[in-house]
């Protein structure tokens, strides 16, 4: 029985913990999940960019999905990310996710090929037609070089299971552009940590977070305060959080956020090659950001 996906609230883009010998560290994964459940997050996303999707085998993604479903036990929805090189592979992964019990999907555009508008719409359409699961389109032209425009969403709107958008264009105007074009047809979730409060205040329904993997309580506090209209209180926490949130917009966001999760005891810095753990001055610099923030960590009401 699938858990309904409301597309509202905080949805962590989960890290994938590894052991020192490059196996999935499921006990640590589950420890992180429980910390975030305790904070009150609203859903989980497995195998995204922050989850090192490009290095995971299909069966590993299903192992992570099964683990998360067991921990959640129907409390909140669990989504699997689809980021494949071919339409055929994307359809296969979507069907596998549905068969394994995923509650929804986040779908990226074609990887490693800069598809044009017609090709991108065809890709998303093929996945939507292959599954009954609700879908969130990940719109991130900054990193993936493909912009899903209002005109393209007009074509996708006829598919009832395409329900939400992870808004990562880094153009805050696009939130209003989408609302003006579609009203509430698509749920919008801010996907850039350093623009998260602004996105919520401009009307986004939720926040797909990165630093939530290390700081779930603070992430939830900002979201809840902003939605309650307590903007000044949310802004105080957001300003404290910003040096940490900036770790999310760096090419090494995986290593940086894993180091933060390790520092607070709910993660480890093990990554999968070709990524390598941080060393030297770079590691010290990131640790300094983390430790400086921890020394001034706000007391949450």
């Amino acid at each position: 029985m699938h858990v309904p996906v409301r597309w509202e609230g905080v949805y962590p883009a989960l890290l994938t913990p590894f052991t020192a010998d490059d196996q999935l560290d499921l006990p640590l994964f589950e420890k992180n999940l429980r910390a975030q459940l305790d904070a009150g997050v609203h859903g989980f996303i497995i195998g995204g960019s922050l989850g090192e999707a490009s290095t995971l085998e299909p069966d590993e993604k299903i192992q992570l999905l099964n683990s998360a479903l067991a921990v959640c036990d129907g409390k909140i929805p669990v989504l699997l990310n689809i980021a494949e090189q071919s339409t055929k592979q994307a359809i296969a992964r979507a069907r596998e996710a549905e068969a394994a019990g995923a509650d929804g999907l986040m779908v990226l555009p074609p990887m490693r090929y800069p598809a044009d508008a017609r090709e991108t719409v065809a890709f998303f359409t093929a996945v939507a037609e292959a599954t009954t699961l609700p879908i969130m389109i990940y719109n991130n032209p900054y990193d993936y070089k493909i912009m899903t425009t209002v005109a393209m969403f007009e074509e996708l709107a006829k598919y009832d299971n395409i329900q939400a958008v992870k808004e990562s264009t880094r153009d805050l105007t696009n939130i209003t552009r989408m609302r003006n074009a579609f009203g509430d047809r698509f749920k919008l979730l801010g996907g850039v940590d350093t623009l998260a409060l602004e996105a919520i205040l401009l009307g986004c329904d939720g926040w797909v977070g990165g630093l939530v993997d290390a700081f779930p309580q603070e992430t939830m506090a900002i979201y809840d305060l902003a939605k309650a209209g307590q903007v000044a209180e949310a802004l105080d926490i957001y300003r404290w959080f910003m040096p940490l949130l900036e770790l999310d917009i760096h090419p090494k966001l995986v290593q940086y956020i894993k180091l933060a999760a390790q520092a607070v005891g709910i993660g480890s810095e093990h990554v999968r090659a070709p990524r390598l753990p941080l060393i030297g001055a770079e590691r010290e610099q990131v640790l300094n950001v983390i430790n400086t923030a921890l020394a001034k960590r706000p007391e949450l009401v």
Side-chain angles (χ1 to χ4, degrees):
M1 189 73 177
H2 293 294
V3 177
V5 186
R6 296 182 59 202
W7 306 114
E8 296 175 357
V10 173
Y11 282 64
L14 295 171
L15 296 167
T16 301
F18 297 108
T19 62
D21 60 350
D22 199 35
Q23 303 300 308
L24 295 181
D25 190 340
L26 293 178
L28 186 56
F29 181 65
E30 292 168 5
K31 181 179 182 180
N32 186 280
L33 294 178
R34 284 190 288 271
Q36 298 195 57
L37 280 173
D38 288 345
V41 301
H42 301 88
F44 287 127
I45 302 171
I46 291 169
S49 308
L50 193 51
E52 298 174 72
S54 63
T55 72
L56 294 175
E57 299 296 331
D59 68 298
E60 290 180 316
K61 294 179 184 179
I62 299 301
Q63 288 181 60
L64 292 166
L65 174 63
N66 289 337
S67 180
L69 289 170
V71 170
C72 290
D73 193 26
K75 297 181 183 73
I76 61 173
V78 180
L79 283 63
L80 192 65
N81 183 57
I82 305 296
E84 310 303 326
Q85 298 182 53
S86 73
T87 303
K88 181 179 180 180
Q89 290 173 332
I91 288 170
R93 299 293 88 77
R95 288 175 172 164
E96 289 165 6
E98 182 165 7
D103 299 304
L105 303 172
M106 182 170 76
V107 183
L108 275 70
M111 295 284 95
R112 298 177 68 179
Y113 171 66
D116 66 17
R118 180 174 65 95
E119 292 169 325
T120 303
V121 168
F123 178 87
F124 287 140
T125 295
V127 177
E129 290 178 340
T131 180
T132 65
L133 292 178
I135 289 170
M136 175 167 61
I137 301 294
Y138 187 2
N139 195 10
N140 184 350
Y142 186 90
D143 289 316
Y144 301 122
K145 314 309 176 189
I146 294 174
M147 173 72 178
T148 310
T149 63
V150 166
M152 294 160 71
F153 277 113
E154 286 173 351
E155 295 186 64
L156 296 170
K158 64 185 177 183
Y159 295 94
D160 291 341
N161 61 333
I162 298 180
Q163 299 176 358
V165 183
K166 181 181 176 184
E167 167 50 51
S168 297
T169 63
R170 304 198 186 188
D171 176 6
L172 288 168
T173 311
N174 204 49
I175 297 168
T176 301
R177 202 176 283 129
M178 290 289 289
R179 286 289 185 230
N180 286 346
F182 301 108
D184 294 328
R185 165 61 185 86
F186 295 108
K187 293 283 190 177
L188 303 179
L189 289 83
V192 181
D193 272 3
T194 56
L195 298 173
L197 179 57
E198 294 88 336
I200 294 166
L201 296 178
L202 284 168
C204 275
D205 303 286
W207 175 1
V208 177
L211 267 297
V212 65
D213 284 307
F215 295 93
Q217 299 283 352
E218 289 83 357
T219 303
M220 283 300 307
I222 291 169
Y223 176 82
D224 288 339
L225 288 166
K227 284 296 184 179
Q230 296 177 257
V231 178
E233 293 87 345
L235 187 56
D236 282 343
I237 303 170
Y238 192 54
R239 284 176 172 160
W240 163 83
F241 211 0
M242 188 55 67
L244 292 164
L245 296 178
E246 288 182 324
L247 302 178
D248 185 57
I249 56 169
H250 189 278
K252 290 188 181 179
L253 78 164
V254 172
Q255 290 95 319
Y256 289 4
I257 296 175
K258 280 194 164 184
L259 196 58
Q262 177 173 275
V264 297
I266 56 173
S268 80
E269 61 186 309
H270 298 306
V271 291
R272 177 167 282 177
R275 289 182 178 86
L276 295 175
L278 302 177
I279 58 171
E282 183 181 22
R283 187 174 187 275
E284 290 306 311
Q285 180 181 3
V286 176
L287 275 175
N288 183 58
V289 170
I290 296 165
N291 291 331
T292 299
L294 286 173
K296 301 177 181 178
R297 198 169 189 175
E299 291 188 17
L300 303 177
V301 178

